[in-house]
Amino acid sequence: MLLLSLIIAEAALETVPKYIAKHPSVVKHSSKIGKPASEILLDRSYHHGAMLKLKDAGKRGRPDLVHFALLEATSTPLYHESMLKVYVHTVANRVIFLNENVRLPKSYFRFEGLMEELFKDRRVRSDSNVLMELKDMEFCDLIGKLRPARVVGLSRIGARSSAEEVAKMIDRDTAIVVGGFPRDHFSSKISSKINYTYSISDLALEVHVVIARILYECEKILFK
Amino acid sequence: MLLLSLIIAEAALETVPKYIAKHPSVVKHSSKIGKPASEILLDRSYHHGAMLKLKDAGKRGRPDLVHFALLEATSTPLYHESMLKVYVHTVANRVIFLNENVRLPKSYFRFEGLMEELFKDRRVRSDSNVLMELKDMEFCDLIGKLRPARVVGLSRIGARSSAEEVAKMIDRDTAIVVGGFPRDHFSSKISSKINYTYSISDLALEVHVVIARILYECEKILFK
């Protein structure tokens, strides 16, 4: 059965890069919580000073934003009814494969622990089931693996449309791509793989709002 | 100008009640973070054992859920364009009055700090502006103060409709009421003040999803 896919692309979710592991703000946070920097999520709330040295710093270190986006997607009837697959492509070119019917924690503290486990062990299990897996993978390789009939991107700089209109063009063989970062746009590596890019509002919408709206409109059509 | 209101009712957001302040799970958490129990948010993740002694325990101690619900509401164009007022009525009968254009933090850690400040000082300021205020107030008194033309509740046990249909009945003089708790239904004190109760899905939807959908459908009508 073909499944609608949602890809949260260039998501601001990664562990602290080696390059800044010795920065005072990282060392302080790491020793406070008693974990090596390599096992801690990069987080602007704690590592702002260190992040100034990073490339594309404005797009990184927002695990809270990715948490919201993922919860929005996995709280939908489309996901609960196994009609939607959800992928997170991260800014450091890893891809999280989320199994069906995973119930992500709403508590950020627990989500953080889950993600740190995933980045460390490459998979998270519950009893005998694999809940999620992490693979080194570029966005283009994920598209190559999924082979959707079309890739629809949602971005403020896309052609002006509405969630309702865009949903009409989406069927089960579509990958919807949203940006998992707080500002700026898709990099060229992402946009070159997108067939159609639309904007669904005149106003800037946060990514979790975009996800809520497009999946809701898709649900209205696919549940008919 | 009349404004659409959203009330998150009986929200699972409160500080640790005195009655359980001496419970070992509370004492341990309180001493670990170095704050008195009366200034800590009740949270099932930490206080599960102590909460077994509380009345209506299943509806309480979920500040993470209220965080999501509030962010969903305040991320909408309706709120950004000052066409929506948002209120949180808590399970312990306090009401949070949110000012216009408040940008709540997505980081739970920061949200928690903000709420603890609000419960302690009764207001949160940024420079000379009051961002939010907390008042002792029953749900019926909030309705008495707002005096909306109609109060529309959304609940799984309401009359079966859809977000689209319910939005058609909503105008700027309406208060929309959703439950800010993880399970169960409105208590009689709430439901007795609601004029119409609707269910917008055959499937159980989390409160943040209900908020996203009803406000989106209202926006389609009110922005026309």
Side-chain angles (χ1 to χ4, degrees), chain B residues 59-80:
Chain B
K59 284 174 103 168
R60 298 166 74 173
R62 288 296 306 274
D64 54 332
L65 180 153
V66 181
H67 182 212
F68 267 87
L70 260 176
L71 263 173
E72 199 76 69
T74 56
S75 301
T76 58
L78 278 180
Y79 179 72
H80 290 314

Side-chain angles (χ1 to χ4, degrees), chain B residues 115-145:
Chain B
M115 288 300 121
E116 289 176 348
E117 184 185 339
L118 179 65
F119 276 93
K120 192 176 170 202
D121 302 333
R122 298 261 159 170
R123 59 178 58 182
V124 172
R125 287 173 178 282
S126 156
D127 304 323
S128 58
N129 299 321
V130 174
L131 298 182
M132 50 188 102
E133 282 191 276
L134 182 80
K135 293 184 180 165
D136 292 328
M137 194 180 269
E138 300 252 353
F139 182 79
C140 58
D141 297 323
L142 176 61
I143 296 296
K145 187 178 159 77

Side-chain angles (χ1 to χ4, degrees), chain A residues 157-210:
Chain A
I157 53 172
R160 183 70 176 86
S161 183
S162 67
E164 216 167 340
E165 287 304 313
V166 174
K168 287 180 191 162
M169 297 176 241
I170 289 172
D171 64 13
R172 292 179 187 216
D173 202 7
T174 302
I176 303 170
V177 184
V178 296
F181 40 81
R183 64 179 73 185
D184 215 339
H185 307 294
F186 294 127
S187 70
S188 58
K189 277 193 169 181
I190 308 296
S191 53
S192 65
K193 289 289 163 189
I194 292 177
N195 306 123
Y196 311 94
T197 307
Y198 299 103
S199 161
I200 61 167
S201 174
D202 285 330
L203 301 156
L205 296 181
E206 302 195 49
V207 60
H208 72 95
V209 179
V210 173

Side-chain angles (χ1 to χ4, degrees), chain A residues 45 64 68 71-72 75 77 81 106-107 110 163-164 203 205-206 208-209 213 216-217 219-220, chain B residues 45 64 68 71-72 75 77 81 106-108 110 163-164 203 205-206 208-209 213 216-217 219-220:
Chain A
S45 293
D64 55 332
F68 268 85
L71 264 173
E72 199 77 68
S75 301
E81 300 292 309
K106 268 205 199 60
S107 152
R110 291 182 185 198
E164 216 167 340
L203 301 156
L205 296 181
E206 302 195 49
H208 72 95
V209 179
R213 292 180 174 198
Y216 170 51
E217 294 289 3
E219 177 188 319
K220 285 193 202 171
Chain B
S45 293
D64 54 332
F68 267 87
L71 263 173
E72 199 76 69
S75 301
E81 301 291 309
K106 268 207 201 58
S107 152
Y108 176 72
R110 292 182 186 194
E164 216 168 339
L203 300 156
L205 296 181
E206 301 196 49
H208 71 96
V209 179
R213 293 180 174 197
Y216 170 51
E217 293 290 1
E219 177 188 318
K220 284 192 203 171

